[in-house]
Amino acid sequence: MPPSSSRRWELDALRGLMLVLMTLTHMPTQFSSPLGQPFGYVSAAEGFVFLSAFIAGQVYSRKALRQGVPAMRQAFWQRARKLYFCQLGLLLLAFTLFAWLGIRNHQGGMTGLVEFYLLKPVTAVVGSVLLVYTPPLLDILPIYIVFMAVSPWVLARGLRRGWGPVLALSGLIWLAEQWGAAHWLYQAVNRWVPMPIPYRDMGAFHVLAWQFLWVLGLALGARQAPLPRIPAWVWVPAAVFAMVSLVWRHLVGQDPMPGVPLMTWLFDKWALGPLRMVNFACLLALLLAAGPWLKARLPRPLPLELLGQHSLSVFCLHLIIAMLTLAYFGSTEVLRPWTTDLVILLGAFAGLFATALVSQARDERRLPWQRPSAPKVR
């Protein structure tokens, strides 16, 4: 990450907001459904992936221009390795402590999360190490790792020869995934080499679709010029579509039209359906149009900035807390008093902010319980 002096606080705040929304969604409480996708048919996952790609484009394009492509490539891979070891740590906890707690407490929410591991532990462990088997909740970091690993080539190609062909190819891959390209490839490979891991256990997120969101964020972040101003003929219809989606979501629910497969496909989260992408594009256009005005007038949301500055630590901890809650209290299908769920959420957010504070102190090379080192006398 760039030095603190070069950080853009508004990006940290937005990423912190995405972490708050993801925590509300992933925590198995009765608040998860009403508070999920609060801005329309767009989830925090889209915002988090796009923001991560945008920041990566900013940081690593500068490194490529100043230090060369090899240095940029090495920095990408170092970050990917760090993410990979975080994923291994989360899997270790899920397969040992939380699986045991789920079985001991008879909590189907947790045992269902690692069902394939409980049925075929050796295959699951090998598959998870290879990022092929990804249980629910633990299927977000793998796509992030894959995107970070391939980004050096994408970024180098975009910087050298322009982003038009890169975005066009990425868009075609997204379009192919709308017709199930990844599942077709899985079936084709399975005819020749039997796959020990079912397709449904390879993660809910369709990588071939989500790569388009990542490449788009990478391209915008790598721009050497300021982001373009959004004219009224763009943001006015975008505002209308976003408002309709917002009202529709809160009147009907997260399923835009229950029982109608076509609408489910158009707004599908896992494959980033066409209307879902339109909804995201409209929100992005509004943010770009109103962002400078909001930045100049609104107070800085320091708690959200703090979470966003230490997003990896906070992200990993929110998954740990979610799995711990599943193992002890069960899923959203378990009826609990709303006060209990509120206490669970407050405890979760207290843990997230404590983690962010410790991470900040660690980055400053001083933990709260450590005395600052005395300056050296010359």
Side-chain angles (χ1 to χ4, degrees):
M1 296 297 296
S4 59
S5 59
S6 63
R7 297 189 75 105
R8 293 180 58 179
W9 66 264
E10 67 274 20
L11 296 180
D12 284 330
L14 283 172
R15 195 150 58 163
L17 176 61
M18 297 303 109
L19 287 166
V20 168
L21 295 177
M22 279 194 284
T23 302
L24 291 171
T25 301
H26 293 155
M27 289 294 294
T29 69
Q30 56 190 283
F31 302 107
S32 62
S33 181
L35 297 177
Q37 302 187 149
F39 303 119
Y41 290 102
V42 174
S43 71
E46 288 97 311
F48 192 78
V49 168
F50 179 82
L51 282 169
S52 298
F54 184 86
I55 295 172
Q58 282 191 325
V59 174
Y60 296 113
S61 63
R62 287 199 296 263
K63 182 173 283 291
L65 294 173
R66 295 173 183 174
Q67 303 177 25
V69 171
M72 175 268 288
R73 184 182 300 117
Q74 186 65 25
F76 260 121
W77 289 347
Q78 285 179 353
R79 184 66 173 176
R81 282 195 294 270
K82 184 175 183 179
L83 293 169
Y84 179 70
F85 285 116
C86 289
Q87 175 71 3
L88 292 183
L90 291 170
L91 288 166
L92 180 62
L93 286 173
F95 291 163
T96 56
L97 176 62
F98 295 136
W100 175 76
L101 285 174
I103 294 171
R104 179 177 178 272
N105 296 328
H106 305 287
Q107 295 293 357
M110 186 61 224
T111 56
L113 196 85
V114 292
E115 181 181 9
F116 182 74
Y117 164 75
L118 296 175
L119 293 173
K120 297 182 178 180
V122 175
T123 303
V125 169
V126 174
S128 63
V129 169
L130 297 175
L131 301 181
V132 178
Y133 166 54
T134 55
L137 286 183
L138 302 182
D139 54 359
I140 303 173
L141 275 184
I143 66 169
Y144 196 6
I145 294 166
V146 171
F147 293 159
M148 293 293 286
V150 302
S151 286
W153 290 280
V154 177
L155 186 58
R157 175 63 176 79
L159 290 175
R160 287 172 176 169
R161 301 184 183 181
W163 285 97
V166 175
L167 288 169
L169 177 60
S170 178
L172 288 174
I173 294 173
W174 168 82
L175 188 61
E177 181 57 20
Q178 301 310 302
W179 277 268
H183 191 236
W184 180 87
L185 288 172
Y186 175 87
Q187 291 177 323
V189 171
N190 197 44
R191 293 191 190 101
W192 297 95
V193 182
M195 299 291 287
I197 300 174
Y199 182 74
R200 66 176 182 273
D201 290 310
M202 290 185 172
F205 293 90
H206 296 197
V207 178
L208 295 185
W210 282 74
Q211 55 77 32
F212 181 54
L213 200 61
W214 179 270
V215 173
L216 180 62
L218 204 65
L220 288 176
R223 283 174 55 94
Q224 301 306 305
L227 292 174
R229 294 180 62 86
I230 305 299
W233 64 267
V234 172
W235 69 257
V236 170
V240 172
F241 189 95
M243 182 58 65
V244 170
S245 299
L246 177 68
V247 174
W248 189 0
R249 178 265 174 269
H250 288 285
L251 286 179
V252 177
Q254 296 198 50
D255 187 347
M257 198 170 289
V260 181
L262 175 61
M263 295 304 295
T264 301
W265 168 68
L266 289 172
F267 285 98
D268 186 63
K269 172 181 178 178
W270 312 117
L272 288 180
L275 288 184
R276 194 176 192 89
M277 286 296 294
V278 172
N279 198 171
F280 176 82
C282 290
L283 291 175
L284 178 61
L286 290 176
L287 185 61
L288 291 175
W293 185 88
L294 293 173
K295 182 180 177 181
R297 288 163 177 80
L298 294 181
R300 288 177 59 171
L302 296 179
L304 294 180
E305 281 184 60
L306 178 66
L307 294 179
Q309 287 170 3
H310 307 283
S311 57
L312 181 56
S313 300
V314 172
F315 178 84
C316 291
L317 184 67
H318 107 272
L319 292 178
I320 292 172
I321 295 174
M323 288 189 289
L324 183 63
T325 305
L326 282 170
Y328 267 111
F329 296 97
S331 66
T332 54
E333 297 178 358
V334 177
L335 296 179
R336 295 184 296 266
W338 69 267
T339 51
T340 301
D341 281 357
L342 182 60
V343 170
I344 290 173
L345 276 180
L346 291 176
F349 281 112
L352 298 186
F353 280 106
T355 298
L357 289 170
V358 171
S359 297
Q360 181 168 291
R362 179 197 60 201
D363 291 345
E364 295 171 353
R365 296 293 186 268
R366 180 172 63 85
L367 293 172
W369 52 84
Q370 293 177 332
R371 294 181 179 178
S373 57
K376 294 183 179 179
V377 180
R378 297 185 179 273

